[in-house]
Amino acid sequence: MQIENTSGQGKLAVVPPEIDRWNWGAFLFNWIWGIGNNTFIALLMFVPFVNVVMPFILGVKGSTWAWRNKRWASVEEFQAVQRKWTKWALIVYALMVCAFVAMFFAVGAMLKDSEPYKLAQAELIQNSQVQAALGQPISLGTPSGSIEVSGPDGAARFEFSVSGPKGSGTAYVEARKSLGRWELTGMAVDDSATGNRMSIK
């Protein structure tokens, strides 16, 4: 017995149970998926606050709406197309995550090679207060934060982990560049074990 193809018949069309399930393509690609599947309610993604819940609504209702709003040759074609949407959405999101991670490490590497970081490193390693709290030798982690330079002037704000045989903590650094020369303007280390803050500069 051949099952009637009800796709594209509007909101009263019966949706085959095998496709009435969560749609990852609709959830991840939301408004782009909506345009490609004649489901223009997905454009509510551009409405503030509504766009917070809309991806989840599309994930739940997307397959139903796509079946009713567009003519499909068969259930099999519909499922194949939706799998492609899911595949490409996952690829795009994976590339975005990789780009973010690469950017994070690139910024960290740039900061680690900067003069403000090297000044902070020298100050920390020789500081008796930090040595007493964390022990020796002291290891420094990769910094995260920002550094801006405009000609002979600039400013930097960053933080990084600090550890030694007796404990660990987080260092916070502020530095300023004036007339081509960097100087530390503020620096402190929070001891993870005690919660105490050691003012270095």
Side-chain angles (χ1 to χ4, degrees):
M1 178 179 176
Q2 186 176 3
I3 299 175
E4 180 186 0
N5 185 340
T6 60
S7 65
Q9 295 181 10
K11 63 182 181 179
L12 297 179
V14 176
V15 179
E18 59 266 42
I19 68 169
D20 189 13
R21 58 188 62 183
W22 180 269
N23 190 313
W24 282 106
F27 174 74
L28 295 171
F29 260 171
N30 42 76
W31 68 270
I32 300 174
W33 174 92
I35 292 174
N37 289 271
N38 291 355
T39 305
F40 300 111
I41 193 173
L43 296 177
L44 288 175
M45 282 297 302
F46 293 105
V47 178
F49 304 111
V50 177
N51 57 13
V52 175
V53 298
M54 200 63 202
F56 298 94
I57 296 173
L58 288 168
V60 173
K61 299 291 293 182
S63 292
T64 295
W65 289 337
W67 178 262
R68 289 174 171 173
N69 294 337
K70 187 175 180 179
R71 183 66 180 174
W72 302 89
S74 64
V75 168
E76 291 73 24
E77 183 206 31
F78 178 88
Q79 292 174 322
V81 170
Q82 298 310 312
R83 282 194 294 269
K84 288 181 181 178
W85 277 102
T86 298
K87 171 186 171 183
W88 284 108
L90 291 173
I91 290 173
V92 169
Y93 273 80
L95 290 173
M96 289 171 60
V97 169
C98 290
F100 175 80
V101 171
M103 183 177 66
F104 175 82
F105 281 107
V107 171
M110 180 189 71
L111 282 171
K112 200 164 187 176
D113 195 45
S114 69
E115 191 172 345
Y117 178 84
K118 292 176 181 177
L119 289 172
Q121 182 182 39
E123 192 78 31
L124 273 175
I125 289 175
Q126 67 183 7
N127 186 272
S128 59
Q129 192 179 6
V130 175
Q131 290 175 0
L134 306 182
Q136 291 181 285
I138 293 172
S139 299
L140 309 184
T142 301
S144 62
S146 64
I147 183 169
E148 298 175 4
V149 177
S150 178
D153 301 322
R157 290 171 61 93
F158 54 89
E159 64 181 77
F160 52 87
S161 62
V162 186
S163 62
K166 296 166 61 176
S168 62
T170 303
Y172 301 91
V173 180
E174 289 185 346
R176 187 165 296 279
K177 185 181 183 183
S178 179
L179 299 177
R181 182 174 180 178
W182 281 102
E183 287 187 7
L184 298 176
T185 56
M187 187 172 173
V189 175
D190 286 350
D191 189 329
S192 299
T194 64
N196 295 332
R197 169 159 289 194
M198 296 173 277
S199 294
I200 310 301
K201 198 169 183 66

